[in-house]
Amino acid sequence: MTADLLAPLDLAFWNMESAEHPMHLGALGVFSARSPTAGAHAADLLAARAAAVPGLRMRIRDVWPLGFPAAFGGAAREAAPDFDPLDHVTLHAPTADFQAEAGRLMQRPLERGRPPWEAHVLPGQDGVSFAVLFKFHHALADGLRALTLAAAILDPMDMPAPRPRPEQPPRRLLPDVRRLRERVRGALSDVGRALDIGASVARSTLDVRTSTALTAPSTGTRRTAGVVLDLDDVHRVRKAVGGTVNDVLIAVVAGALRRWLDERGDGSEGVAPRALIPVSKRRPRTAHPQGNRLSGYLMRLPVADPDPLGRLATVRLAMDRNKDAGPNRGAGAVALLADHVPALGHRLGGPFVSGAARLWFDILVTSVPLPGIGLKLGGDPLTAVYPFAPLARGQSLAVAVSTYRGQVHYGLVADGHAVPDLDRLARALTEEVETLITACES
């Protein structure tokens, strides 16, 4: 049984976690049920299929290898010898509120001694629907990898075969002197990039005004909410003003935050929270193994701007600038600095990094792509899917979004005490799309 040392960013996510701040991703899929027993059948299928997926057998254990100090205090991913899928798939009692159950389950950390994932099957009291909440630790998978693992235990699909990774030459114990100049140049480039990222982070913390609703003290409790929008409505706005679908979806978040803050009495005047927009560095259709391939963009959400089209124009300009600079530079690329921290630094500094996240950004707004084909489980079609992102220490709200079968699905995760009115924010997302459409037509 071979072990695979965690990459630096995976190790950072593993060590940032605490009981009050679990670092797992989630996705709540809602299925149309053809019979009242569909939920129980789905649970049986998930457990049976999980045994055949190698990625779901992987556990993470701390390792203290002898040798070079840079590897000291790391962690490794390895196949669990006693893996039992029944430990990971749970069938719950029927419920009338999938989101309420999801919030309760999202606040519970994954068990670290076994493969860090879970599937919770929630039968609906109506007898015509059921939901499945998938949870994957961020050290095991980023959003795209989690999607691949979840899809592997849904009904079989004819998916394009991944392209094989090019073979890497064996590592030498000593560096090849013929490549020394190239290595030195690369190291200097890495140092320059790290300094650039650090300076950008420092600048991003200056003159910040955000709402205390987004940075309230963490309590470890969780609420979730879901919103479904018509993708055609988003395209109507995009075609009218230009930009991308993602630009519109981010602007919708900015406008919804403005409505929500004003209605709850916090006020939106002067508020411009820093939003981290994760960017996947995973190449399309490549068979990259477990773990994370992430960078990000950082931008100020124009919450204070009263003009919906002005907010969208600001978002579009900021995203264009980020794309021109690329995902390897700027304050949003802090995740790349994990590669320059030794394993021992991640182990000892994990709690500090978790607490420092609020100094870097105020809210996470992430997009998780889904396949355009219809997904099923036990023959029952998936009708909606709400992605959920983890909450870092000192942050009260995270927003994730996916498009699926002509609809946009927002998944909201919030600290239960700091944001007791999460449903109001969810409604504000729908209202903001309507406002944008009206503005475009006037």
Side-chain angles (χ1 to χ4, degrees), residues 6 40 85 136 180 232 338 358 378 431 435:
L6 293 189
F136 295 96
L180 187 58
D232 286 343
R358 63 173 301 184
E431 294 164 357
T435 297

Side-chain angles (χ1 to χ4, degrees), residues 6-225:
L6 293 189
L9 184 55
D10 302 341
L11 188 60
F13 284 130
W14 188 245
N15 286 293
M16 285 171 60
E17 183 171 68
S18 67
E20 295 78 22
H21 304 91
M23 292 302 298
H24 52 252
L25 312 169
L28 181 68
V30 180
F31 296 81
S32 177
R34 294 176 296 174
S35 74
T37 61
H41 179 54
D44 291 340
L45 283 175
L46 293 174
R49 293 171 178 175
V53 181
L56 297 178
R57 303 177 64 93
M58 306 303 289
R59 68 177 180 181
I60 296 173
R61 65 176 179 87
D62 294 330
V63 294
W64 298 89
L66 299 176
F68 195 69
F72 200 67
R77 192 182 291 109
E78 65 179 10
D82 55 351
F83 173 68
D84 185 349
L86 295 178
D87 292 335
H88 299 264
V89 179
T90 303
L91 175 64
H92 294 261
T95 179
D97 191 337
F98 294 142
Q99 291 290 349
E101 288 297 306
R104 180 180 63 82
L105 293 168
M106 282 294 291
Q107 72 186 33
R108 190 172 71 189
L110 294 165
E111 188 172 327
R112 292 169 72 93
R114 64 189 190 189
W117 69 274
E118 293 175 351
H120 296 271
V121 181
L122 310 171
Q125 283 186 350
D126 55 14
V128 297
S129 65
F130 68 91
V132 180
L133 174 68
F134 290 103
K135 294 167 57 178
F136 295 96
H137 199 287
H138 219 329
L140 180 70
D142 55 19
L144 285 175
R145 175 65 180 169
L147 170 63
T148 301
L149 292 173
I153 51 179
L154 297 179
D155 287 357
M157 299 179 296
D158 294 327
M159 298 290 286
R163 296 175 183 172
R165 300 179 73 199
E167 291 188 8
Q168 299 294 324
R171 294 186 179 182
R172 297 170 175 263
L173 294 177
L174 296 175
D176 187 343
V177 295
R178 293 172 296 181
R179 300 187 60 192
L180 187 58
R181 180 180 298 179
E182 178 185 342
R183 290 174 179 270
V184 170
R185 186 163 52 243
L188 291 175
S189 176
D190 285 347
V191 170
R193 182 172 63 184
L195 290 174
D196 173 79
I197 294 172
S200 298
V201 171
R203 289 194 297 270
S204 74
T205 62
L206 300 176
D207 203 22
V208 173
R209 179 159 193 272
T210 188
S211 169
T212 55
L214 300 179
T215 56
S218 303
T219 66
T221 59
R222 293 291 182 270
R223 292 177 184 269
T224 67

